[in-house]
Amino acid sequence: MTKTKRVLIVGGTGLISTAITKQLLAQGDVEVWHYNRGRGNQAAVNDGVRTIQGDRTDYARFEAQMEEAGPFDCVIDMIGFKAEEAESAVRAFYGRVGQYIYCSTVDVYSKQGNAYPVAEDGERNASPTFSYAYNKVLSENILLAAHDAERFPVTIIRPAQTYGGSGTAVPSVADGNYQMKRLREGRPILVHGDGMSIWVACHRDDVARAFVNAIGNEATLGKAYNVTGEEWMTYDRYWQIVARELGVPEPSIVHIPTNLLGKLLPKKAEWCVENFRYNNIFDNRAARRDLDFRYTVTWEEGIRDVIRELDESGAIEAAGERPWYDALLASWSEAERLMGMQMVGMDD
């Protein structure tokens, strides 16, 4: 008789977590638990999931709740963002878990990469100015230092952009569905730099399968794995495919230098400055070997399904206006015009 595995997902209602939950429940021999604050997309939680409600940043309470819940065969931490949370996880689960799987990110790698595609042994030197990535590096270091094959077996998975459901395409600045709305209205969209930086995206079902295949997999213990898209698209191409799947003409793309975006919109362009401007090309061979990772959903197919789901809820049409966006495009157009006038005759 097959023993039922107890798997706890810290988080559970997020983009990747819901896909992991669905795949685990489909196996039939897994008792799935979630730990979260009960404020997420609870409608996405499947029947049969047991939920422990709490705040993992209330460290003493979280650790007491985990002790009370009893040992788990596997804990999948999807919402660990700070070093203090990693330290708390070690205290909570050391000697009480069969495996601890940590959702990290490819943003831990240095920008630019020393070589492409970037493999798991690539330099991890995320800039302190990019707090998300920097804290992920610190968290990885804490967990790997605590790794013990018997008492605290650790596996780290590093996705890049993951999408699906209502998880959408990523604009160069700010977030949300507003660029899809602009495309449908025939308005220009902004892309950083010259649009030639390379980007990858992976559907949540493919990413989730890697997490599920890591559970109980001894080959993964003490290791990290890239789990990323395998279509190396320029940022222009990425948005051209979105436009096509929206059923609109070729987009009018306005290119603005990334450094300028960072100065004009320091908060809205943070991810662009720290991440999107660089080539994101990663080596998935280790995940293919040990996790049977396969990239099965193309960007074209996946974003088509996302658009369908967004339209069912009216999310694209409801995207809010961003007055600063049109003001920025107008200012840049005028700057280009004036520069062109100044340059007339200088090339003779």
Side-chain angles (χ1 to χ4, degrees):
M1 182 176 178
T2 304
K3 177 183 178 292
T4 299
K5 297 190 290 289
R6 299 183 82 229
V7 176
L8 170 69
I9 303 175
V10 183
T13 62
L15 182 70
I16 303 174
S17 299
T18 51
I20 294 172
T21 298
K22 181 179 179 181
Q23 292 179 24
L24 286 175
L25 291 175
Q27 293 183 354
D29 61 346
V30 181
E31 182 180 292
V32 181
W33 293 68
H34 287 173
Y35 181 92
N36 54 54
R37 293 177 295 176
R39 300 177 187 172
N41 182 15
Q42 296 300 314
V45 178
N46 302 72
D47 291 338
V49 173
R50 306 185 185 192
T51 300
I52 305 170
Q53 193 165 324
D55 180 355
R56 65 127 9 118
T57 63
D58 181 352
Y59 302 124
R61 176 60 178 152
F62 170 70
E63 292 158 29
Q65 286 178 296
M66 294 303 95
E67 182 176 5
E68 182 180 345
F72 290 95
D73 295 293
C74 181
V75 171
I76 304 176
D77 190 348
M78 301 300 297
I79 54 171
F81 301 108
K82 298 179 180 179
E84 295 83 1
E85 293 165 353
E87 291 168 343
S88 174
V90 175
R91 294 192 298 267
F93 299 115
Y94 196 90
R96 303 180 56 253
V97 67
Q99 183 183 16
Y100 181 87
I101 300 176
Y102 179 65
C103 181
S104 186
T105 171
V106 292
D107 293 324
V108 298
Y109 297 119
S110 303
K111 309 286 188 179
Q112 301 242 4
N114 293 326
Y116 292 100
V118 177
E120 288 81 359
D121 60 356
E123 182 182 53
R124 293 181 306 124
N125 189 26
S127 169
T129 63
F130 191 17
S131 60
Y132 168 75
Y134 185 71
N135 280 293
K136 284 287 192 179
V137 172
L138 297 179
S139 298
E140 281 195 6
N141 291 344
I142 290 165
L143 296 171
L144 289 171
H147 165 71
D148 182 284
E150 298 296 328
R151 305 285 289 167
F152 190 66
V154 173
T155 300
I156 293 173
I157 296 182
R158 298 172 181 153
Q161 186 209 338
T162 304
Y163 72 99
S166 59
T168 189
V170 179
S172 291
V173 292
D175 55 18
N177 300 310
Y178 73 95
Q179 284 208 159
M180 288 188 179
K181 182 179 181 180
R182 294 182 66 90
L183 288 171
R184 278 200 167 148
E185 294 174 348
R187 300 157 74 186
I189 63 169
L190 184 161
V191 169
H192 58 277
D194 62 0
M196 292 295 106
S197 58
I198 302 297
W199 190 246
V200 289
C202 195
H203 195 275
R204 64 178 180 179
D205 289 348
D206 288 339
V207 174
R209 198 172 303 110
F211 279 88
V212 171
N213 288 346
I215 297 173
N217 185 340
E218 293 187 0
T220 72
L221 303 184
K223 298 178 184 176
Y225 294 89
N226 295 334
V227 178
T228 73
E230 295 183 344
E231 293 174 84
W232 297 345
M233 301 172 282
T234 65
Y235 229 83
D236 275 4
R237 179 63 177 160
Y238 174 84
W239 277 101
Q240 287 163 354
I241 293 173
V242 173
R244 188 173 68 212
E245 295 310 314
L246 284 165
V248 301
E250 185 80 6
S252 173
I253 295 176
V254 177
H255 295 123
I256 299 180
T258 306
N259 286 344
L260 181 59
L261 291 172
K263 292 176 181 177
L264 297 175
L265 304 167
K267 293 183 179 179
K268 293 180 177 66
E270 178 191 12
W271 280 74
C272 177
V273 171
E274 299 288 357
N275 186 352
F276 307 160
R277 70 191 299 181
Y278 299 103
N279 289 328
N280 279 256
I281 306 173
F282 305 98
D283 189 340
N284 291 332
R285 284 180 294 179
R288 284 180 164 269
R289 180 192 67 229
D290 293 348
L291 301 174
D292 196 29
F293 170 72
R294 295 293 181 268
Y295 181 74
T296 69
V297 183
T298 66
W299 175 237
E300 179 180 342
E301 295 167 336
I303 200 62
R304 183 186 308 150
D305 289 341
V306 167
I307 291 168
R308 184 183 304 115
E309 182 158 333
L310 292 174
D311 280 340
E312 287 175 356
S313 63
I316 296 176
E317 185 178 350
E321 280 298 311
R322 299 173 187 248
W324 54 265
Y325 194 103
D326 284 305
L328 175 62
L329 295 186
S331 296
W332 178 248
S333 177
E334 177 64 10
E336 285 188 311
R337 186 186 71 81
L338 294 174
M339 187 179 298
M341 291 176 61
Q342 292 175 359
M343 296 298 293
V344 170
M346 292 182 64
D347 196 35
D348 293 342

